[in-house]
């Protein structure tokens, strides 16, 4: 199988460029469709940092609303390609990292906080997983 880590809509074309990110993501996937042979593709990382207390409308990066929009966009892309056979969000829960200007007190891509409380994204995943049929993509 082919394992990919992708962050279209976060590290690449984030924020108000998320619709462009989806287009770019689909363009890459179309190229994978041409060269992958019969190997399935599994996404081993995708995610967007989110502060648990941050809510914004319209959504902006770091808000829970943006994390859900980001996840929805990725799931639309995954669902569009039969050869995508797995998806593993990065990450289950927020965790501490070294200090730096790229992160606010750790990695916040979790769908749960460091104290294991659900962010809105946890409910997004629950809705997705419970709606998928047992024979999804064979």
């Amino acid at each position: 199988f082919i394992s990919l880590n992708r962050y279209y809509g976060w590290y690449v074309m984030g924020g108000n460029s998320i619709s462009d990110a989806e287009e770019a993501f689909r363009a890459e996937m179309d190229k994978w469709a041409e060269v992958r042979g019969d190997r399935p593709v599994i996404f081993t990382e995708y995610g967007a940092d989110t502060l648990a207390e941050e809510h914004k409308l319209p959504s902006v990066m770091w808000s829970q609303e943006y994390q859900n929009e980001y996840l929805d966009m990725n799931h639309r892309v995954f669902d569009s390609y039969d050869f995508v056979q797995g998806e593993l969000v990065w990450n289950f829960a927020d965790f501490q990292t070294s200090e730096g200007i790229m992160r606010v007190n750790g990695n916040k891509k979790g769908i749960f906080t460091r104290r294991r409380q659900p962010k809105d994204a946890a409910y997004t995943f629950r809705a997705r997983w419970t709606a998928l049929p047992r024979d999804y993509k064979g």
Side-chain angles (χ1 to χ4, degrees):
F1 64 91
I2 298 170
S3 170
L4 299 174
N5 298 347
R6 292 296 181 270
Y7 289 91
Y8 287 97
W10 187 250
Y11 296 124
V12 178
M13 300 177 179
N16 62 9
S17 298
I18 196 165
S19 59
D20 296 330
E22 182 171 354
E23 187 176 318
F25 194 5
R26 289 180 183 282
E28 180 185 349
M29 294 306 294
D30 291 343
K31 290 178 185 172
W32 278 110
E34 295 172 7
V35 300
R36 70 175 183 82
D38 62 353
R39 294 174 292 173
V41 171
I42 297 172
F43 282 89
T44 49
E45 279 189 30
Y46 69 105
D49 283 282
T50 305
L51 298 173
E53 65 280 357
E54 189 71 19
H55 290 278
K56 293 278 181 141
L57 289 175
S59 71
V60 296
M61 293 177 82
W62 293 90
S63 71
Q64 290 200 58
E65 291 76 14
Y66 186 85
Q67 185 181 39
N68 279 329
E69 289 176 19
Y70 168 91
L71 293 170
D72 289 344
M73 180 273 286
N74 277 268
H75 297 154
R76 280 192 306 274
V77 173
F78 299 161
D79 293 346
S80 297
Y81 296 90
D82 287 340
F83 60 84
V84 175
Q85 295 290 310
E87 55 194 62
L88 300 156
V89 68
W90 186 264
N91 197 3
F92 165 74
D94 296 344
F95 60 94
Q96 190 62 54
T97 60
S98 60
E99 292 183 74
I101 61 171
M102 295 292 289
R103 297 209 163 88
V104 179
N105 194 24
N107 188 301
K108 301 289 191 259
K109 289 185 186 71
I111 62 173
F112 290 86
T113 67
R114 284 189 75 189
R115 295 184 181 266
R116 303 312 191 248
Q117 293 302 304
K119 295 181 187 176
D120 290 353
Y123 300 100
T124 295
F125 273 99
R126 185 180 192 290
R128 175 173 174 73
W129 293 336
T130 57
L132 291 175
R134 289 194 183 275
D135 62 347
Y136 179 66
K137 293 190 180 181

